[in-house]
Amino acid sequence: MFICDLTQDLNSSHQRYSKAKTLSFGVLKGFFKEQLPPYFLLLQCDSKENFLFHRRSDVLMMTPWFAPIVWEGTYNSEILNEQFRRRNVTVGLTVFAIKKYTVFLNKFLETAETYFMVGHRVNYYIFTDRPEEVPKVPLKEGRNVVVLQVQNYPRWQEISMRRMELINSFSQQRFINEVSYLVCVDVDMRFNDQVGVEILSNLFGTLHPHFYAAERQSFTYERRPASQAYVPRDEGDFYYAGGFFGGTVMEVYKLTKKCHEAMMVDKAKGIEAIWQDESYLNKYFVYYKPTKILSPEYLWDDDLGRPEILKKIRFLALPKNHAAIRNK
């Protein structure tokens, strides 16, 4: 049983959302933390405890468009795992290991086998220009590495932007026939704790670790009106990381198609968005709201320390020398 306890009606919530269009959607403080109704999940299970309440008061748990924000302590993994097993779900995990970025594959795959979608079927889709450098990592039953050979490009910015094009193309040609969901992440990372089916939804994004508590005016959206990635200063809800997004194959197809088409328009005009594919992703999420949002637990950098609100660090950036890796 799933019950949303809404202490105020939808009209009241909508009025608050409209009033807040000029305010920040920071997840720690401000208008929404103090004034939005206390949404929470009431879950029924077969354990000795008939009802399990999952609620935290220190973070925002629900957006004004009723998309849950996933933090540790806000869901029941046993219930979710059982539901997804009944649906016989297969998850595709895409990463790009171009040029010297293949050095990150071994740690990425080893930690994924330990923490990513444990107990579920997974296809690791590895886009690379060096297929011979993909390591042979022992895999559990129902989990496969699929190597997809692609060309490289001289500039790392171009490689970054081509990800949208390639994910879009393979979603239509292959992924739609092989997996139920796609999770698209950076390869220069390691899984550090459980990342499971709690993340899955029609369309999800991840709060950027640098901006999850920031005000809207601090977001590094593309601000040049000439760019297809342009976001006006009075628009936008959160700032999302380009290194962790996903959804159903069809929704990821639509997202990557829209982003790639916008990139091509900009390229024809000699424009490159400030943060490449991440800028177009953020523009997309402004107008096509994600149905679930992942907290910074799902993409973190230890250079930022370990804030108390992060009960777990699930996906962690690896230390690296960018100058030695990029464009090599």
Side-chain angles (χ1 to χ4, degrees):
M1 179 174 65
F2 176 92
I3 301 173
C4 257
D5 183 6
L6 307 180
T7 60
Q8 299 189 20
D9 62 28
L10 294 179
N11 289 333
S12 174
S13 297
H14 178 71
Q15 290 169 2
R16 291 168 181 234
Y17 179 39
S18 299
K19 178 181 177 182
K21 281 183 69 65
T22 59
L23 300 176
S24 166
F25 280 76
V27 299
L28 297 183
K29 58 184 179 180
F31 183 86
F32 284 100
K33 180 177 182 296
E34 298 300 326
Q35 299 192 39
L36 274 181
Y39 310 114
F40 60 94
L41 302 182
L42 178 59
L43 300 172
Q44 185 174 17
C45 66
D46 295 328
S47 66
K48 292 182 179 179
E49 285 187 277
N50 289 331
F51 300 100
L52 299 176
F53 287 83
H54 293 276
R55 184 182 180 187
R56 285 177 58 174
S57 60
D58 57 336
V59 294
L60 185 67
M61 291 176 51
M62 186 82 73
T63 71
W65 59 93
F66 298 112
I69 304 176
V70 184
W71 301 84
E72 172 64 15
T74 64
Y75 61 90
N76 185 297
S77 58
E78 292 183 9
I79 295 173
L80 291 171
N81 277 320
E82 180 60 26
Q83 293 302 308
F84 279 89
R85 285 194 195 99
R86 289 180 181 179
R87 292 168 53 190
N88 208 25
V89 162
T90 300
V91 178
L93 181 63
T94 72
V95 290
F96 284 75
I98 308 296
K99 299 182 178 180
K100 285 190 176 181
Y101 274 78
T102 54
V103 302
F104 298 111
L105 279 173
N106 195 73
K107 177 65 70 176
F108 179 89
L109 290 170
E110 285 183 347
T111 57
E113 277 297 284
T114 301
Y115 295 117
F116 182 74
M117 298 292 163
V118 175
H120 298 277
R121 296 200 306 272
V122 173
N123 284 355
Y124 298 107
Y125 294 115
I126 300 175
F127 293 87
T128 183
D129 60 327
R130 302 179 181 182
E132 71 281 358
E133 295 183 13
V134 176
K136 305 293 185 183
V137 173
L139 303 175
K140 299 181 181 70
E141 184 179 356
R143 301 165 76 94
N144 306 284
V145 168
V146 181
V147 178
L148 303 171
Q149 186 166 1
V150 296
Q151 71 179 93
N152 64 43
Y153 294 88
R155 299 170 58 247
W156 69 266
Q157 294 93 336
E158 182 78 5
I159 294 170
S160 178
M161 295 214 298
R162 289 288 175 178
R163 293 192 299 183
M164 292 293 188
E165 177 185 17
L166 289 166
I167 292 172
N168 178 257
S169 176
F170 277 89
S171 291
Q172 186 177 36
Q173 296 173 21
R174 180 168 189 164
F175 300 157
I176 192 69
N177 299 313
E178 297 180 354
V179 297
S180 308
Y181 293 90
L182 285 174
V183 181
C184 308
V185 301
D186 286 344
V187 72
D188 51 347
M189 308 282 293
R190 67 178 174 89
F191 290 90
N192 191 63
D193 210 314
Q194 298 296 325
V195 175
V197 295
E198 76 278 357
I199 73 172
L200 300 178
S201 187
N202 282 351
L203 183 65
F204 64 83
T206 303
L207 298 177
H208 197 291
H210 286 271
F211 299 103
Y212 67 96
E215 296 184 356
R216 177 187 289 149
Q217 295 304 313
S218 301
F219 296 167
T220 54
Y221 292 142
E222 174 56 63
R223 298 302 189 184
R224 292 172 293 174
S227 172
Q228 294 292 303
Y230 168 66
V231 177
R233 292 194 176 274
D234 63 346
E235 303 226 8
D237 312 303
F238 303 100
Y239 190 83
Y240 300 92
F244 202 129
F245 66 93
T248 63
V249 177
M250 183 53 65
E251 287 299 321
V252 172
Y253 170 79
K254 290 191 287 187
L255 179 156
T256 53
K257 183 176 188 291
K258 199 82 169 178
C259 290
H260 174 62
E261 289 173 349
M263 290 176 192
M264 293 300 101
V265 173
D266 276 357
K267 187 174 182 179
K269 296 188 293 185
I271 297 174
E272 184 176 279
I274 182 171
W275 292 112
Q276 296 82 44
D277 54 332
E278 184 173 273
S279 296
Y280 297 95
L281 176 75
N282 272 277
K283 171 67 174 286
Y284 188 87
F285 280 153
V286 169
Y287 301 108
Y288 301 89
K289 304 296 189 192
T291 54
K292 184 176 285 187
I293 296 176
L294 309 184
S295 71
E297 295 173 6
Y298 292 88
L299 198 156
W300 191 252
D301 188 333
D302 267 346
D303 286 346
L304 300 173
R306 293 285 182 99
E308 187 176 345
I309 63 162
L310 295 184
K311 308 303 182 184
K312 291 191 175 182
I313 304 294
R314 302 175 187 277
F315 195 47
L316 186 63
L318 292 171
K320 53 192 159 293
N321 182 338
H322 286 292
I325 295 294
R326 290 175 170 172
N327 302 327
K328 300 295 184 181

